[in-house]
Amino acid sequence: MRAKLACAPLALALITTPAMAEDWDFVLTNDTGKTVTQVELTPTGQAKWAAQRTEEGVPSEVKNGNDWTVHFDKAEGTCDYDVRLTFADKSTAVWTGLNVCDNAFAEFSYRNGNPVIVVDDD
């Protein structure tokens, strides 16, 4: 009986613990024609923007034509994200529907003035 009682608090803690975010990343290729100064993400359609996690002492600026590894907390059960980029000129743009579960590399650019994400289909 004593063993069953000792496990009860642990089982209760596991049941009441909220879903935790996971550490994730993807490689962003900046083909926007501008320097990116901030990357923010939100699950598609939620508009709860969270800045990417940055490492102390590592610049978070991404010049046009360069790649950047974006680190973020992925919500459980969510694969599709919207990405908001802020540029050196203080303008912003939003790219929608990046599936981070299926795509580790994504090129952010414009086509006919509209934000476009190009992913590797391999």
Side-chain angles (χ1 to χ4, degrees):
M1 183 73 168
R2 185 175 296 211
K4 287 182 182 177
L5 291 176
C7 294
L10 177 60
L12 182 59
L14 291 174
I15 291 170
T16 59
T17 302
M20 301 301 288
E22 299 176 53
D23 293 338
W24 276 61
D25 58 45
F26 68 92
V27 176
L28 176 153
T29 299
N30 178 8
D31 194 21
T32 63
K34 299 180 179 186
T35 297
V36 174
T37 58
Q38 183 173 18
V39 179
E40 298 170 285
L41 295 100
T42 186
T44 294
Q46 291 192 16
K48 295 179 184 176
W49 297 103
Q52 70 167 334
R53 290 192 326 271
T54 56
E55 299 174 28
E56 190 173 325
V58 176
S60 60
E61 182 176 277
V62 188
K63 295 186 187 271
N64 185 58
N66 290 348
D67 296 334
W68 179 259
T69 301
V70 176
H71 303 282
F72 66 102
D73 294 324
K74 182 183 161 301
E76 187 175 320
T78 302
C79 288
D80 293 330
Y81 278 79
D82 295 342
V83 179
R84 180 167 63 189
L85 302 181
T86 301
F87 301 102
D89 66 2
K90 305 297 184 208
S91 65
T92 62
V94 175
W95 282 256
T96 60
L98 173 63
N99 184 315
V100 297
C101 297
D102 293 339
N103 302 292
F105 299 90
E107 178 183 300
F108 289 71
S109 62
Y110 290 100
R111 186 173 300 142
N112 298 323
N114 297 310
V116 175
I117 301 171
V118 178
V119 295
D120 187 0
D121 290 333
D122 292 339

